[in-house]
Amino acid sequence: MAASIVIREATAADDDGVWNLLKPVFASGTMYSQSPDISREAALEYWGGGSHRVFVAETPDSDGDGGLPAVIGTYFLTPNLPVGSGGGHVANAAFVVSLTAAGRGIGRQMLEHALAEAVKQGFLAMQFNYVIATNTRAIALWERYGFKEVGRLPKAFRHPTEGFVDVLVMYKQLVPDVDEG
């Protein structure tokens, strides 16, 4: 059953909540290529720096729901390449869900929000550049929403328990019949 959440653009007041999500995921070394001992400042800069627009998913009462933290997910949306460049019409995004909220539909709701937001911002496609092949839950979700594997980087990620594993590049066109001119 999907948890009831609100997704909104993050503010500086959300930094602690976002860090509390990023820290254990980055520390696990299994889903992102950041250093497992990344500092709070570096993690927040990676997540929210540059052209990244950061969003948070929270429980409606902002006090937590059934033992969940108030901020239970976060994602960023950004151009995959600089806007105005030949690839600036393609979005990129990354997602983190609280480990205590896994399996409650938070990732699915954030993906739906990100896809709608990308279209609203004028992006024509979305690409995930570095999907670690052992992250099978994420891959299954992306595939359910029409993302296709368009590339595979053999043994490009050093997994802490699986050794070297493949990395996928996944892509979805957001606007059908794009003028190729």
Side-chain angles (χ1 to χ4, degrees), residues 2-157:
S4 175
I5 63 170
V6 173
I7 300 174
R8 61 172 175 77
E9 196 152 1
T11 68
D14 295 308
D15 283 357
D16 287 342
V18 170
W19 169 240
N20 288 336
L21 296 172
L22 298 178
K23 183 179 181 181
V25 171
F26 289 175
S28 76
T30 61
M31 291 178 267
Y32 282 90
S33 59
Q34 278 60 44
S35 172
D37 60 354
I38 191 170
S39 70
R40 178 184 191 278
E41 294 74 24
L44 292 173
E45 175 60 26
Y46 163 75
W47 201 254
S51 60
H52 293 190
R53 286 190 58 207
V54 178
F55 295 83
V56 292
E58 61 187 359
T59 56
D61 62 8
S62 296
D63 293 325
D65 178 27
L68 298 177
V71 176
I72 56 176
T74 182
Y75 80 88
F76 69 72
L77 182 65
T78 189
N80 197 44
L81 294 168
V83 172
S85 72
H89 61 283
V90 178
N92 177 258
F95 303 82
V96 170
V97 174
S98 167
L99 299 176
T100 60
R104 297 186 186 209
I106 308 304
R108 177 187 53 76
Q109 292 176 74
M110 288 194 306
L111 176 60
E112 289 173 357
H113 189 274
L115 292 169
E117 188 66 30
V119 169
K120 188 167 97 176
Q121 291 184 33
F123 290 108
L124 303 180
M126 186 174 285
Q127 178 173 314
F128 300 141
N129 299 320
Y130 207 86
V131 182
I132 297 162
T134 54
N135 193 352
T136 56
R137 283 180 79 150
I139 293 167
L141 177 60
W142 308 154
E143 289 175 340
R144 280 195 304 276
Y145 278 80
F147 283 83
K148 303 290 185 211
E149 178 183 329
V150 296
R152 182 175 284 260
L153 309 173
K155 302 193 181 310
F157 179 75

